[in-house]
Amino acid sequence: MSRVDRLEERASDAGTRTYNWLDSRFDLDNGRAFLGKAFPAEDSFLLGEVALFCFVMLVLTGMFLGMFFEPSTSDVEYEGSVAAFQGEEVPEAFASVLHITYDIPFGMFIRRIHHWAAHLFVASIGLHMLRVFFTGAYRNPREPNWVVGTGLAGLAMGAAYTGYALPFDEFAATATGIGYNLATSIPFVGSVVGKVVFGGEFPSSATIPRLYFLHVLVIPVAIAILLAIHMAILVRQKHTEAPRNDDVRGAEPPQSTRTPDAGAVSDGGTETAVAKEDDTVVVGLPAFPNQAAVSAVVFFLTLATLAALGGFFPVHNIAEYGPNNPAGTPELIMPDWFLMWVYGFLKLLPSWMSFTIPVVGVHVSTEFVGGVLLPTVVFGAIAVWPFIDYRENPVHFTASPLDRPWQTAVGVAAIQFIMIASIAGMNNLLGRALDVGTEVVNPILTVALFVVPGVSGLLTYRLLQDDSTEGDDR
């Protein structure tokens, strides 16, 4: 036996001994069954993976940014590369973001990736939930995962809001002030919420440290926990699968390695057929190596997309807005696109909706109704939807939106509602484009907010219902 052969044998023995040592402690053999778990080969199912990989990139880039960010509103003398602020006293948070952007190698690029990852994170969650909604993949027994996903969507928006408040430039400070006003408008507990989230009356020296703590620890940990729960439920339950056109032939795995949903995808064993109506078996790619390879491709495509966005598209330019100035307000203040609908509620609500409840003397402001109550109702309606469109028996096949008239009609109406509310959040830009004032466009948008979703929903239902009836006749 040559020396090379002896080295190979020793390496093999070392690997076997290592595996046996780990197996005796972690029971790795029982985990092999997961490697054959079937994942349906559906491209739209990968939107959830895009969201997961965006979160990973947010954590990694956030760790880099956190090394240089100073969560403080104390004034310091700026000595960086931006000539406009040389020698001026600026908030330390503002100065540190300028330092990251213009003085740290790759700082601007990493900050841009972090920014776009946050946007893609919210967008991929939203698209993923739309796919689940329109295909009915939330139905029994997957209602808990839909509720978890709704929580993830809310936390993603909260993470983004606390993030763009941190630079403490004029734009961020104004947006933070709006959030503070909404928080303190909550009856009974508003002042407590303002102290917990914003560190007291805004602006205060505790505001940025408090938001920073929420942004880098509390909300990411909550997102990670919900992601873990989401994945655990996904692994525990079978995947939903598109209806099959015909019976599927495949290899039945040996009995010792067979899992409930791996019967049609593993190598080895005997030839078998899965009936097109059989929802006890998922037909798809095994978790390893096939799905793992697909996930790797999705990860690198997500990374490439974020790198391209970070390389070619600028993000919020804090140097243009300048540091926080309590005496001034930027000419154009708007939230990010995923919060624009909330801003639209605030702009459309009439002042008479601010009132005081008799006897108890509790004041209900338009800020509370538009910025807290209505968004809560929207998220609440989303969360309870699987219990409205309830199925007593488990459903493991997805459905075509064309075969679900009233559910699809509700989804179309909801999208129209959010879109028009988002347009209302940009009413000043709309008025400027039409060369009219906001007092002209606001009544039109208010009517459209209720009429357009209702009409589009009814039209969608009628078209799909008629098509379904014609299909039955044929």
Side-chain angles (χ1 to χ4, degrees):
M1 180 181 291
S2 67
R3 184 177 181 182
V4 173
D5 291 335
R6 287 196 299 271
L7 290 174
E8 289 180 353
E9 184 177 352
R10 290 177 183 174
S12 177
D13 291 342
T16 301
R17 287 195 300 271
T18 301
Y19 179 84
N20 291 337
W21 186 88
L22 292 171
D23 181 47
S24 66
R25 286 154 179 81
F26 301 107
D27 198 16
L28 297 181
D29 279 340
N30 281 343
R32 287 185 175 183
F34 172 74
L35 300 181
K37 181 175 176 62
F39 286 79
E42 306 253 355
D43 293 342
S44 62
F45 282 34
L46 300 176
L47 287 167
E49 294 191 17
V50 173
L52 175 63
F53 296 143
C54 284
F55 179 69
V56 171
M57 293 306 302
L58 283 168
V59 172
L60 295 177
T61 54
M63 291 170 62
F64 175 89
L65 298 174
M67 295 179 185
F68 306 100
F69 179 73
E70 294 291 342
S72 171
T73 58
S74 300
D75 287 337
V76 296
E77 184 177 344
Y78 179 71
E79 298 177 348
S81 301
V82 182
F85 303 108
Q86 281 285 353
E88 287 190 17
E89 296 285 324
V90 298
E92 196 168 7
F94 179 81
S96 66
V97 176
L98 287 179
H99 179 63
I100 292 170
T101 306
Y102 299 105
D103 298 309
I104 299 296
F106 300 102
M108 179 183 291
F109 182 61
I110 297 298
R111 183 174 166 234
R112 287 182 176 185
I113 289 181
H114 191 77
H115 172 94
W116 291 117
H119 283 258
L120 189 56
F121 183 47
V122 177
S124 56
I125 291 176
L127 291 174
H128 181 58
M129 293 188 70
L130 286 175
R131 181 199 69 81
V132 172
F133 178 89
F134 282 108
T135 60
Y138 52 79
R139 294 171 293 180
N140 181 9
R142 296 171 181 82
E143 305 97 331
N145 234 8
W146 173 266
V147 176
V148 171
T150 305
L152 281 170
L155 287 173
M157 294 181 186
Y161 171 77
T162 55
Y164 71 68
L166 295 181
F168 208 57
D169 60 304
E170 183 63 10
F171 181 93
T174 304
T176 306
I178 295 174
Y180 173 78
N181 290 334
L182 296 182
T184 55
S185 71
I186 304 174
F188 300 110
V189 298
S191 59
V192 175
V193 175
K195 291 178 181 178
V196 171
V197 177
F198 296 92
E201 186 175 352
F202 179 82
S204 72
S205 59
T207 300
I208 295 302
R210 191 65 53 86
L211 293 175
Y212 182 68
F213 175 69
L214 292 172
H215 183 71
V216 304
L217 182 62
V218 176
I219 298 179
V221 168
I223 290 175
I225 291 173
L226 288 187
L227 281 173
I229 295 173
H230 191 77
M231 296 300 295
I233 295 174
L234 184 66
V235 170
R236 181 64 178 172
Q237 296 178 339
K238 292 191 294 291
H239 266 280
T240 54
E241 182 186 349
R244 302 167 193 148
N245 296 324
D246 205 347
D247 294 349
V248 179
R249 302 197 63 82
E252 182 179 3
Q255 191 67 30
S256 59
T257 61
R258 188 175 184 181
T259 59
D261 57 344
V265 297
S266 298
D267 293 331
T270 59
E271 187 77 11
T272 185
V274 179
K276 59 182 294 186
E277 301 88 2
D278 185 2
D279 64 359
T280 64
V281 177
V282 175
V283 177
L285 304 175
F288 186 86
N290 303 63
Q291 184 60 32
V294 172
S295 297
V297 172
V298 174
F299 172 76
F300 287 112
L301 285 175
T302 303
L303 181 59
T305 300
L306 294 175
L309 290 171
F312 292 104
F313 295 95
V315 297
H316 180 63
N317 186 2
I318 67 168
E320 180 179 348
Y321 285 98
N324 174 44
N325 178 14
T329 301
E331 179 183 357
L332 183 63
I333 286 291
M334 288 189 301
D336 286 326
W337 58 271
F338 46 81
L339 291 174
M340 194 68 71
W341 56 283
V342 179
Y343 201 47
F345 290 159
L346 293 171
K347 289 196 171 186
L348 290 184
L349 285 180
S351 58
W352 57 262
M353 292 197 71
S354 180
F355 59 92
T356 300
I357 301 177
V359 182
V360 293
V362 176
H363 182 68
V364 178
S365 64
T366 53
E367 288 83 2
F368 169 70
V369 176
V372 180
L373 181 60
L374 289 180
T376 301
V377 170
V378 169
F379 270 94
I382 294 172
V384 303
W385 176 254
F387 307 99
I388 298 174
D389 182 25
Y390 181 71
R391 294 294 184 275
E392 185 174 350
N393 297 319
V395 180
H396 299 300
F397 287 121
T398 58
S400 169
L402 302 180
D403 297 330
R404 292 159 41 86
W406 77 270
Q407 294 94 335
T408 301
V410 170
V412 170
I415 292 173
Q416 298 274 14
F417 182 78
I418 295 299
M419 288 179 62
I420 294 174
S422 298
I423 293 173
M426 300 178 284
N427 63 345
N428 49 350
L429 297 180
L430 179 61
R432 189 182 304 174
L434 299 176
D435 198 24
V436 295
T438 55
E439 68 279 359
V440 175
V441 299
N442 277 4
I444 299 174
L445 290 171
T446 302
V447 173
L449 185 64
F450 297 98
V451 173
V452 173
V455 172
S456 60
L458 289 173
L459 182 61
T460 300
Y461 176 79
R462 184 62 183 269
L463 290 174
L464 295 182
Q465 186 70 17
D466 289 347
D467 185 66
S468 176
T469 303
E470 291 176 6
D472 293 340
D473 293 339
R474 291 195 295 268

